[in-house]
Amino acid sequence: MADYKVGMIGLGVMGKNLALNIADKGFAVAGWDAWADQVDKFDSESAGSPIKGFRDLEEFIRSLERPRRVVLLVKAGQVVDDTIAKIAPLLDEGDLIVDGGNEFFENTERRARELDARGLRFFGMGVSGGSEGARLGPSMMPGGDEAAYSELAPVLEKVAAQVEDGPCVTYIGPGGAGHYVKMVHNGIEYGDMQLIAEAYDVLKNIGGLSNAELAETFDEWNRGELESFLIEITAKIFTRKDDESDADLLDVIVDSASMKGTGSWTVQDAARLAVPVPTIAAAVDARVLSGMREDRLKVAKVLRGPSPSKTERTELVSDVRAALYAAKCVSYAQGMHLIRKASDDRSWGVNLGELARIWKAGCIIRAGFLGRIQEAFGRNPQLLNLLIDPSFAEELAVRQAAWRRVVSLAQGSGIAVPATAGSLAYYDALRRQRLPANMIQAQRDFFGSHTYERLDKSGTFHTEWEK
């Protein structure tokens, strides 16, 4: 009998936890995975829930209520295409496939076109919050077929994290809008994590704070304007001891960070749309540099630099707090600007205030100040840049002296702070009425006759520079 409201394909940690979450909200879930042991584990861990795992794909499809609703939580890229190729012939016209992975938005749009030609509906849905979010309530960003989303919305709205003004899920827009927004969400996440890492680096190597002192500092910050999931877990990380030694676990972790692609995709599309995202780009570059660990260890023996000098702690902690908050505001502003440009160019109609709302819980970048971002776009949905909202403009103005001191001190001490400095450079470039790009245009015209414009009259001009 067709008894199951939702079918879940991919029963790894994310798929299994999201299925358990759906079942907890009263919806029967069928599960299938290409690996039989995952199906068995799924069944054993869901005993007593309205859940059943299937080893046979056709039996799994037959078990679903019509129109069928199949959610994919499998590895992005070719695995998604291969999975769709397996299940599409077993589905009927009007059935729905949802890709809940971290997929590149153009792949989502291609699949939607291909499946539409076969009479099948499709949408891509970003799911944020990791395994815990999937189990207890994620933030979800669905985009694509709006009618199909409306059919699944009663399930998603109960499964999502809940805040005072509703569930942390909303229809993002047509096409690849959902996966695009999740991609930029992850880009902002890259920036946040790098900014926190730089704050830790400065406080540890210039301020001389111990891990215990850093834990206290970040815990205090989490009770103020920096309150966020990432600040909260950072405070906890400092306190964790290594199970195999007496050391703090953080101190035995290799300084080489990996990434799965969403940050790079964010930077690539920003370049394509001519939207500056220097904080996010710096975070991606920093991860790449960290991954070059063997090369860095060799180069470190050759290149010279200053030795970090200790400084007065209380003032430094206060300055780093201010710099981290200011740089974080700039990172979110860059992400929101990119989403707006992509939405305008691709006619998605993304509501930036709604994005801030659904990011307030369930997702990795959840933070107290997202409510204020929501309010800023509520006051002015066409806000040119988040930083010119009066409240944010004032906050950056009062923090900029500390922000500049941190960047200057770090660079003078040989501590790289590319994301913090990138945010400051973005802020300074935006606030200046005249940039040195006139020199670049003169150079381009000199060597390539690319022409230039003038301040005193309209039109384009070329000069024979070596007359």
Side-chain angles (χ1 to χ4, degrees):
M1 295 179 61
D3 293 333
Y4 295 93
K5 184 80 170 180
V6 178
M8 183 70 63
I9 291 183
L11 302 179
V13 174
M14 285 292 291
K16 176 193 68 178
N17 281 355
L18 189 59
L20 288 168
N21 186 352
I22 294 170
D24 285 349
K25 303 307 186 294
F27 303 102
V29 183
W32 180 85
D33 196 284
W35 301 95
D37 60 333
Q38 292 284 59
V39 177
D40 295 340
K41 186 176 180 182
F42 178 71
D43 271 340
S44 66
E45 294 184 13
S46 59
S49 298
I51 285 176
K52 179 176 175 57
F54 291 83
R55 291 192 177 196
D56 183 85
L57 183 58
E58 292 188 23
E59 185 183 2
F60 162 77
I61 295 295
R62 286 196 301 269
S63 76
L64 301 177
E65 173 186 290
R66 299 194 183 197
R68 301 180 182 98
R69 304 167 189 90
V70 181
V71 178
L72 311 183
L73 272 168
V74 299
K75 186 177 180 181
Q78 189 60 47
V79 176
V80 176
D81 286 323
D82 293 344
T83 304
I84 290 173
K86 288 179 181 178
I87 65 173
L90 306 176
L91 299 175
D92 294 324
E93 185 174 347
D95 288 349
L96 168 65
I97 300 173
V98 179
D99 179 7
N102 277 330
E103 186 56 89
F104 186 55
F105 75 101
E106 289 184 346
N107 288 339
T108 301
E109 294 181 333
R110 168 181 58 79
R111 290 170 186 142
R113 291 191 299 268
E114 293 170 351
L115 289 168
D116 182 65
R118 302 175 68 162
L120 299 174
R121 298 176 299 166
F122 179 82
F123 66 80
M125 180 172 69
V127 180
S128 181
S131 58
E132 181 178 344
R135 183 67 184 89
L136 302 177
S139 173
M140 294 181 285
M141 294 148 261
D145 189 314
E146 186 172 10
Y149 166 71
S150 297
E151 288 182 19
L152 199 55
V155 176
L156 299 178
E157 288 175 357
K158 287 190 175 182
V159 168
Q162 306 292 317
V163 290
E164 71 282 354
D165 48 2
C168 292
V169 60
T170 191
Y171 178 69
I172 301 298
H179 273 150
Y180 190 91
V181 164
K182 177 55 163 59
M183 176 188 81
V184 179
H185 162 286
N186 285 19
I188 295 170
E189 179 185 312
Y190 275 54
D192 252 7
M193 295 172 73
Q194 179 63 27
L195 290 169
I196 291 171
E198 292 173 13
Y200 151 65
D201 198 8
V202 169
L203 292 175
K204 180 181 179 68
N205 290 297
I206 298 179
L209 274 70
S210 67
N211 287 341
E213 291 168 327
L214 286 163
E216 292 177 2
T217 298
F218 275 79
D219 185 62
E220 180 186 348
W221 289 357
N222 196 47
R223 294 193 293 271
E225 74 281 6
L226 282 168
E227 183 271 317
S228 67
F229 172 71
L230 286 170
I231 294 291
E232 176 189 345
I233 68 169
T234 300
K236 293 177 180 178
I237 286 169
F238 288 120
T239 67
R240 185 67 164 86
K241 293 294 184 180
D242 178 26
D243 291 336
E244 301 179 14
S245 69
D246 294 330
D248 292 338
L249 180 56
L250 181 62
D251 293 337
V252 300
I253 295 175
V254 174
D255 58 319
S256 178
S258 59
M259 54 185 175
K260 293 185 176 179
T262 46
S264 300
W265 295 342
T266 301
V267 174
Q268 289 164 8
D269 200 59
R272 180 162 57 173
L273 295 178
V275 175
V277 290
T279 310
I280 299 170
V284 172
D285 285 345
R287 290 204 191 186
V288 174
L289 273 165
S290 78
M292 299 166 54
R293 189 168 186 272
E294 290 187 10
D295 290 344
R296 286 190 290 109
L297 292 176
K298 295 174 184 176
V299 171
K301 298 175 182 178
V302 178
L303 297 184
R304 297 180 182 178
S307 297
S309 56
K310 305 302 179 185
T311 189
E312 202 281 319
R313 286 186 173 193
T314 302
E315 182 179 347
L316 180 63
V317 170
S318 177
D319 279 357
V320 172
R321 177 176 184 163
L324 178 55
Y325 182 77
K328 178 187 178 79
C329 290
V330 171
S331 181
Y332 279 71
Q334 292 167 16
M336 289 297 194
H337 184 196
L338 176 56
I339 292 170
R340 178 185 294 288
K341 183 65 162 62
S343 176
D344 289 347
D345 284 11
R346 294 162 179 147
S347 302
W348 286 340
V350 177
N351 184 325
L352 298 182
E354 267 289 274
L355 293 190
R357 184 190 70 78
I358 68 169
W359 289 346
K360 289 193 294 186
C363 71
I364 302 301
I365 65 170
R366 60 186 183 265
F369 89 138
L370 279 162
R372 295 185 46 245
I373 295 178
Q374 179 186 0
E375 292 169 1
F377 286 110
R379 287 189 292 270
N380 181 5
Q382 302 307 315
L383 187 64
L384 179 64
N385 189 296
L386 178 64
L387 302 185
I388 62 172
D389 175 79
S391 65
F392 282 101
E394 177 61 23
E395 288 191 329
L396 267 62
V398 300
R399 286 170 172 81
Q400 66 170 297
W403 192 5
R404 296 180 193 284
R405 284 195 296 269
V406 169
V407 171
S408 178
L409 177 63
Q411 292 177 340
S413 300
I415 302 292
V417 286
T420 309
S423 284
L424 182 57
Y426 179 88
Y427 175 81
D428 281 338
L430 278 182
R431 70 177 183 79
R432 292 186 63 193
Q433 293 187 0
R434 186 161 172 80
L435 294 172
N438 54 324
M439 173 58 75
I440 294 172
Q441 282 299 86
Q443 291 169 336
R444 293 179 72 243
D445 190 57
F446 192 116
F447 65 69
S449 300
H450 293 296
T451 73
Y452 56 86
E453 295 177 289
R454 295 177 59 98
L455 294 172
D456 54 357
K457 53 185 174 181
S458 61
T460 56
F461 302 88
H462 167 63
T463 295
E464 294 297 331
W465 293 88
E466 292 192 294
K467 273 188 177 179

